[in-house]
């Protein structure tokens, strides 16, 4: 457990730095909106829109997304249960959660994982939207910290997991459908 102590100290210090400022109420309102945009409903709409209006590329986008999320969800659940990392407010009374998280544990961030998975797939099929997609994904991850429900390392692991699952989805689509 001593190996984790510097990481926990860094995470807590970073969270407190982000959460303790005079503009916090305005930041929390914006962070709630950004975080909500990563709840998943937009992923389904993007896939359906692409499928209906972009021919074979849209179909590939949708199928790749389904494959990638089919890999992501069990991986995410496995890691949450394996790490069982407590949320920031459980580490310090100075951290306030401004939303109620959907589950008990914080590592990895599911919102960040899904956002980076989606940004990767968008970037592959629609490269013109790459900068927007990855900027949005970064904002989703940062919003989770600013809402007091995740640590920096939860976000970092979520980014890695999302990128890996997207890559596996792309490989899976290529192997099974091309």
């Amino acid at each position: 457990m001593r190996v984790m102590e510097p990481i926990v100290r860094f995470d807590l210090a970073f969270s407190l730095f982000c959460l303790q400022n005079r503009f916090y109420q305005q930041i929390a309102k914006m962070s709630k909106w950004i975080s909500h945009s990563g709840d998943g409903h937009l992923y389904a709409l993007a896939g359906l829109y692409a499928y209906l209006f972009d021919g074979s590329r849209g179909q590939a986008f949708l199928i790749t997304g389904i494959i990638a999320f089919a890999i992501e969800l069990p991986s995410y659940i496995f890691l949450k249960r394996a790490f069982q990392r407590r949320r920031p407010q459980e580490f310090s009374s100075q951290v306030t959660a401004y939303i109620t998280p959907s589950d008990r544990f914080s590592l990895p961030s599911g919102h960040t994982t899904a956002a980076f998975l989606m940004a990767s797939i968008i970037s592959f099929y629609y490269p013109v939207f790459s900068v927007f997609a990855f900027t949005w994904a970064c904002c989703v991850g940062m919003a989770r910290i600013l809402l007091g429900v995740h640590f920096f390392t939860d976000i970092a692991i979520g980014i890695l997991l999302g990128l890996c699952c997207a890559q596996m989805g792309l490989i899976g689509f290529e192997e099974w459908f091309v």
Side-chain angles (χ1 to χ4, degrees):
M1 190 62 172
R2 289 195 183 270
V3 174
M4 296 298 291
E5 285 178 19
I7 295 170
V8 171
R9 278 197 305 273
F10 166 79
D11 274 341
L12 190 55
F14 186 79
S15 289
L16 291 173
F17 173 78
C18 290
L19 295 170
Q20 296 177 342
N21 63 70
R22 63 186 174 136
F23 301 108
Y24 193 74
Q25 293 304 315
Q26 296 90 337
I27 292 170
K29 286 180 186 176
M30 186 172 54
S31 294
K32 284 180 185 179
W33 181 84
I34 293 168
S35 177
H36 182 60
S37 75
D39 286 350
H41 53 281
L42 293 179
Y43 308 147
L45 288 174
L48 183 61
Y49 183 85
Y51 178 78
L52 292 173
F53 299 108
D54 196 24
S56 62
R57 181 172 64 167
Q59 182 181 13
F61 175 80
L62 176 64
I63 293 169
T64 300
I66 290 169
I67 294 167
F69 276 106
I71 295 166
E72 180 268 343
L73 187 58
S75 302
Y76 159 80
I77 292 169
F78 172 79
L79 290 172
K80 283 270 190 180
R81 290 180 181 163
F83 285 111
Q84 295 187 7
R85 186 178 194 191
R86 296 176 292 151
R87 295 211 177 253
Q89 67 273 16
E90 294 180 48
F91 278 93
S92 173
S93 60
Q94 292 178 297
V95 176
T96 301
Y98 287 86
I99 61 171
T100 302
S102 60
D103 58 45
R104 183 173 170 208
F105 300 118
S106 71
L107 181 68
S109 165
H111 278 76
T112 306
T113 300
F116 273 86
L117 182 159
M118 196 65 181
S120 296
I121 294 172
I122 289 169
S123 179
F124 182 82
Y125 287 103
Y126 304 100
V128 70
F129 295 112
S130 293
V131 171
F132 172 79
F134 281 106
T135 300
W136 165 79
C138 288
C139 288
V140 169
M142 192 63 197
R144 304 301 287 173
I145 295 170
L146 293 170
L147 290 169
V149 294
H150 282 290
F151 286 119
F152 179 82
T153 52
D154 302 340
I155 303 308
I157 299 299
I159 291 169
L160 292 174
L161 180 60
L163 295 174
C164 289
C165 291
Q167 187 63 37
M168 287 187 276
L170 289 163
I171 291 168
F173 175 78
E174 206 170 278
E175 286 184 15
W176 295 330
F177 295 97
V178 176

